[in-house]
Amino acid sequence: MPRLKKRYRAEILPTLQSEFEIPNVMQVPGLTKIVVNMGVGEAARDSKLIEGAVRDLALITGQKPAINRAKKSIAQFKLREGMPIGAHVTLRGDRMWEFLDRLLSIALPRIRDFRGLESRQFDGRGNYTFGLTEQVVFHEIDQDKIDRPRGMDITVVTTAENDDQGRALLKQLGFPFKEN
């Protein structure tokens, strides 16, 4: 069982249950999935760029990414319907907990001039989305072998009913939020 999942079940779950006075343990906020999305807009001009994004995303998450394709043709962006424009991975179960553990303990502390994550980026339903500007903060990526720096969006989907519960859950898990 992943380290963070053990800590969630042993420490965080009882703490959140008493903090929000939740009668049933099944109503305590938990994690559902983590979606890692990497948009590669330049892939419309150079189709080889999508391969690098897929390779990097597979190394980071340990799972084969799905390729996002354009739904509409947009002439100004020289984009045709069906062209690959990004890649995404949906992590669930133990792989999700392992990724989150690596993200919080290794990747985020490696960000240069990191002062914490913005605590206002919740969506109203307890889900949190943030972006990373480079993929090299993950130790799985070899800096000498990347063709270009790529950013990614990471969405943490929770079962929380509101932002306060989601914020409390993520803070307990170890998310380094800025103090506003």
Side-chain angles (χ1 to χ4, degrees):
M1 183 184 283
R3 183 175 69 155
L4 200 58
K5 188 176 181 181
K6 275 185 194 166
R7 202 176 117 230
Y8 170 76
R9 287 194 176 158
E11 302 168 20
I12 299 169
L13 199 115
T15 306
L16 289 175
Q17 187 173 5
S18 63
E19 182 182 334
F20 291 107
E21 298 169 357
I22 299 171
N24 188 344
V25 80
M26 299 303 286
Q27 292 175 319
V28 177
L31 294 181
T32 307
K33 63 184 174 181
I34 295 177
V35 180
V36 184
N37 180 43
M38 194 179 274
V40 189
E42 301 90 43
R45 287 180 284 289
D46 185 7
S47 60
K48 287 185 178 61
L49 291 176
I50 198 76
E51 294 166 12
V54 167
R55 186 181 58 246
D56 290 348
L57 214 47
L59 277 173
I60 290 168
T61 59
Q63 192 170 308
K64 185 174 186 265
I67 294 175
N68 298 341
R69 299 192 175 274
K71 290 177 176 58
K72 286 182 176 179
S73 297
I74 302 173
Q76 290 93 324
F77 300 129
K78 296 184 176 139
L79 188 65
R80 295 281 158 257
E81 187 177 334
M83 281 179 128
I85 54 171
H88 76 277
V89 174
T90 303
L91 301 168
R92 290 184 170 88
D94 286 351
R95 205 174 264 151
M96 167 189 71
W97 288 103
E98 293 287 348
F99 173 77
L100 190 62
D101 195 12
R102 282 184 291 127
L103 176 74
L104 295 174
S105 59
I106 299 169
L108 290 180
R110 287 182 66 177
I111 297 175
R112 196 177 316 125
D113 298 331
F114 184 66
R115 291 190 181 87
L117 296 170
E118 193 63 50
S119 62
R120 295 188 300 263
Q121 290 176 307
F122 284 87
D123 68 349
R125 310 282 285 128
N127 305 321
Y128 184 69
T129 302
F130 64 99
L132 297 177
T133 53
E134 289 186 341
Q135 78 272 38
V136 293
V137 295
F138 290 96
H139 73 280
E140 295 90 354
I141 301 291
D142 185 8
Q143 274 190 309
D144 300 330
K145 292 184 180 169
I146 62 166
D147 50 351
R148 65 184 328 144
R150 287 186 194 84
M152 65 185 75
D153 298 318
I154 300 172
T155 302
V156 181
V157 180
T158 67
T159 59
E161 294 176 5
N162 55 39
D163 288 348
D164 294 332
Q165 287 184 359
R167 193 175 289 109
L169 168 67
L170 296 184
K171 197 169 263 188
Q172 291 278 328
L173 285 170
F175 272 73
F177 288 119
K178 282 183 195 171
E179 296 300 322
N180 295 346

